[in-house]
């Protein structure tokens, strides 16, 4: 089972959190993940993937314009329909809009026909509501949350994967 992560990242925070998600995915037997900046996506790998997680910095209370523009045109061409979708964000403030950024991404993924998932409260603690948000500058304090998110997304993707 393959899982792709596509992120926007100007100063590296959102790219860094993708690596923690990959560590969590790797804890699931038979699962692998790769992360791509929206500037350099391996389209073949994303098309082969059973799940797509999208990451964005929080800009002005929600997702970046660059990520919004990417979401408007790209995923539908990457065979995402019917697959598992998820989203995460990084932000500077706990009240800065990370949740809304995630909600906007999940809306796009649903419109493209994806089944969106986060694990919610179904897996106990830590409860992951819409998706994980890492607040800078101490991003490493969110590492385990992002690993757990990656593991849960991979476990769910394994359940619906045909491979
Ligand atoms: C133009 C701009 C707008 C931002 N707006 C917000 C915001 O509304 N809320 C917030 O919590 N952080 C905001 N931030 C902080 C970024 O979300 C945060 O630093 C993020 O981790 C950067 O991700 P990156 O290193 O992957 O580019 C903003 C940063 C920039 C550059």
């Amino acid at each position: 089972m393959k899982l792709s992560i596509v992120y926007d990242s100007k100063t590296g925070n959102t790219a860094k959190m993708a690596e923690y998600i990959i560590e969590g995915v790797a804890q699931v037997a038979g699962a692998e993940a790769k992360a791509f900046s929206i500037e350099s996506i391996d389209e073949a790998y994303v098309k082969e993937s059973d799940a797509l997680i999208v990451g964005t910095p929080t800009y002005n209370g929600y997702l970046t314009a660059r990520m919004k523009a990417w979401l408007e045109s790209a995923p539908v061409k990457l065979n995402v329909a019917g697959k598992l979708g998820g989203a995460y964000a990084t932000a500077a403030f706990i009240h800065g809009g990370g949740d809304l950024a995630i909600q906007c991404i999940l809306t796009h993924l649903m419109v493209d026909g994806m089944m969106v998932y986060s694990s919610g409260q179904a897996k106990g603690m830590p409860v992951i509501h819409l998706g994980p948000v890492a607040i800078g500058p101490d991003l490493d304090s969110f590492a385990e949350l992002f690993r757990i998110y990656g593991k849960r997304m991979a476990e769910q993707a394994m359940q619906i994967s045909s491979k």
Side-chain angles (χ1 to χ4, degrees), residues 75 83 116 119 128 149 151:
K83 297 177 177 178
V116 299
S119 85
I128 298 175
Y149 173 71
K151 183 168 182 276

Side-chain angles (χ1 to χ4, degrees), residues 6 38 41 43 47 52 63 65-80 108-109 111-112:
V6 173
I38 50 174
I41 297 172
E43 294 193 1
K47 283 180 182 168
L52 172 66
L63 74 175
R66 222 154 67 119
M67 179 53 79
K68 170 98 170 87
W70 184 81
L71 286 164
E72 279 175 10
S73 59
V76 76
K77 297 177 198 150
L78 294 170
N79 301 345
V80 298
H108 274 277
L109 299 185
V111 170
D112 288 337

Side-chain angles (χ1 to χ4, degrees), residues 8-15 56-62 90-98 134 136 139:
D8 186 14
S9 189
K10 268 261 161 28
T11 55
N13 295 348
T14 315
T56 186
T58 306
Y59 275 16
N60 299 72
Y62 62 149
T90 66
F93 309 102
I94 198 162
H95 56 283
L139 295 164

